[in-house]
Amino acid sequence: FLRNLDLEKLSVTGLKINETVFGRESEFASLQRSYHRTISDSSSEFAIVSGSSGTGKSVLASRLGRYIVANGGIFLSGKFDQLKQSEPFSAVAGAFNEYCDVILSNGRCNRV
């Protein structure tokens, strides 16, 4: 069975086929609950998805982002780049740059 699979699509937490990661349902459900709490309580929450490379973190974040946007929310994400270790907050800066793009594309402000 494994002979017919691309080994690149296997991860520590489950099998990855295209943009679907199997074995991350509990993490996705936890992030969904966090999102719904912020809507119902008008509160703020901050989530960090961490783990070893190849475990489906980016796919999980992307899936959550699609879910949040489909439900009318704004999703920001930042990814730490090992090549930018001299810029410790590059992931946070990337997320804020993404947010500025969202604001500008929605016409919420005339200038930055």
Side-chain angles (χ1 to χ4, degrees), residues 1-24 53-57 59:
F1 175 73
L2 288 178
R3 267 184 311 183
N4 297 329
L5 293 176
D6 185 357
L7 293 179
E8 185 179 274
K9 295 184 179 180
L10 290 176
S11 74
V12 174
T13 59
L15 178 64
K16 174 182 168 187
I17 300 175
N18 295 330
E19 285 296 307
T20 304
V21 175
F22 299 93
R24 286 281 200 168
S53 62
T55 57
K57 300 176 301 294
V59 175

Side-chain angles (χ1 to χ4, degrees), residues 13-46:
T13 59
L15 178 64
K16 174 182 168 187
I17 300 175
N18 295 330
E19 285 296 307
T20 304
V21 175
F22 299 93
R24 286 281 200 168
E25 293 305 315
S26 64
E27 290 93 341
F28 183 69
S30 176
L31 291 167
Q32 279 182 307
R33 286 190 301 273
S34 176
Y35 170 66
H36 287 288
R37 276 192 305 271
T38 64
I39 293 171
S40 64
D41 301 342
S42 296
S43 62
S44 297
E45 293 194 24
F46 183 82

Side-chain angles (χ1 to χ4, degrees), residues 11-105:
S11 74
V12 174
T13 59
L15 178 64
K16 174 182 168 187
I17 300 175
N18 295 330
E19 285 296 307
T20 304
V21 175
F22 299 93
R24 286 281 200 168
E25 293 305 315
S26 64
E27 290 93 341
F28 183 69
S30 176
L31 291 167
Q32 279 182 307
R33 286 190 301 273
S34 176
Y35 170 66
H36 287 288
R37 276 192 305 271
T38 64
I39 293 171
S40 64
D41 301 342
S42 296
S43 62
S44 297
E45 293 194 24
F46 183 82
I48 297 175
V49 178
S50 64
S52 301
S53 62
T55 57
K57 300 176 301 294
S58 295
V59 175
L60 179 66
S62 177
R63 182 178 171 199
L64 179 67
R66 287 191 306 273
Y67 176 82
I68 289 172
V69 170
N71 286 284
I74 296 174
F75 178 77
L76 304 176
S77 66
K79 186 172 183 175
F80 177 74
D81 184 350
Q82 289 184 351
L83 299 176
K84 293 185 177 182
Q85 288 185 10
S86 63
E87 302 172 29
F89 297 103
S90 62
V92 175
F96 280 110
N97 283 336
E98 186 178 325
Y99 185 56
C100 290
D101 290 342
V102 168
I103 290 171
L104 290 173
S105 68

